[in-house]
């Protein structure tokens, strides 16, 4: 999945709170619901989006599905995202002299 799409998914306030919980330990939907004070269907809906994006994975434990964060995907996405900003910033330093064709008189 595209890093920008993943960043969009993980920066939603509710999903971010869910991920913070799941980074501490694995939880089932009911536990996340109780910890965050959100209905189980709402948590389930958010977890499904995270699961489809590959940000979390589920593992059956007894009667319940417990979820874990795919830390490799999240770390790699953040790395790609920050690298693209670093590259743009370095390229931008060289182009600061006159990057706008209109202001530099190249176009009228």
């Amino acid at each position: 999945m595209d890093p920008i799409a993943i960043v969009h998914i993980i920066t939603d306030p509710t999903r971010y709170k869910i991920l913070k919980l799941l980074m501490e330990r694995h939880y089932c939907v009911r536990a996340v619901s109780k910890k965050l004070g959100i209905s189980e269907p709402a948590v389930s809906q958010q977890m499904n989006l995270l699961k489809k994006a590959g940000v979390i994975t589920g593992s059956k434990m007894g009667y319940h599905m417990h979820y874990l964060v795919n830390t490799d995907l999240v770390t790699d996405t953040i790395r790609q995202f920050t690298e693209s900003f670093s590259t743009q910033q370095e390229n931008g330093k060289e182009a600061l002299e006159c990057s706008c064709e209109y202001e530099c008189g190249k176009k009228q």
Side-chain angles (χ1 to χ4, degrees):
M1 185 174 255
D2 176 41
I4 293 172
I6 293 173
V7 168
H8 177 73
I9 286 169
I10 65 177
T11 55
D12 170 84
T14 301
R15 290 189 289 268
Y16 181 76
K17 289 175 189 174
I18 291 170
L19 286 175
K20 280 178 62 174
L21 275 178
L22 295 177
M23 291 295 276
E24 295 171 11
R25 57 173 286 181
H26 56 81
Y27 286 106
C28 66
V29 170
R30 180 170 287 162
V32 171
S33 169
K34 288 184 188 244
K35 288 203 166 274
L36 296 180
I38 302 170
S39 72
E40 286 184 42
V43 170
S44 246
Q45 184 179 21
Q46 300 300 331
M47 299 276 249
N48 281 332
L49 290 170
L50 291 165
K51 199 165 50 172
K52 283 180 185 174
V55 176
I56 63 172
T57 57
S59 177
K60 190 85 165 161
M61 296 181 145
Y63 293 108
H64 301 282
M65 183 71 78
H66 286 246
Y67 295 92
L68 303 163
V69 176
N70 181 348
T71 53
D72 290 339
L73 175 73
V74 173
T75 332
D76 188 50
T77 299
I78 292 168
R79 181 190 52 74
Q80 287 178 45
F81 201 66
T82 53
E83 280 177 3
S84 77
F85 279 114
S86 297
T87 303
Q88 287 177 358
Q89 187 177 23
E90 295 203 7
N91 291 341
K93 288 177 186 174
E94 297 167 5
L96 274 179
E97 292 175 14
C98 192
S99 60
C100 179
E101 294 175 346
Y102 291 97
E103 289 182 15
C104 297
K106 294 176 185 174
K107 282 199 174 187
Q108 295 183 15

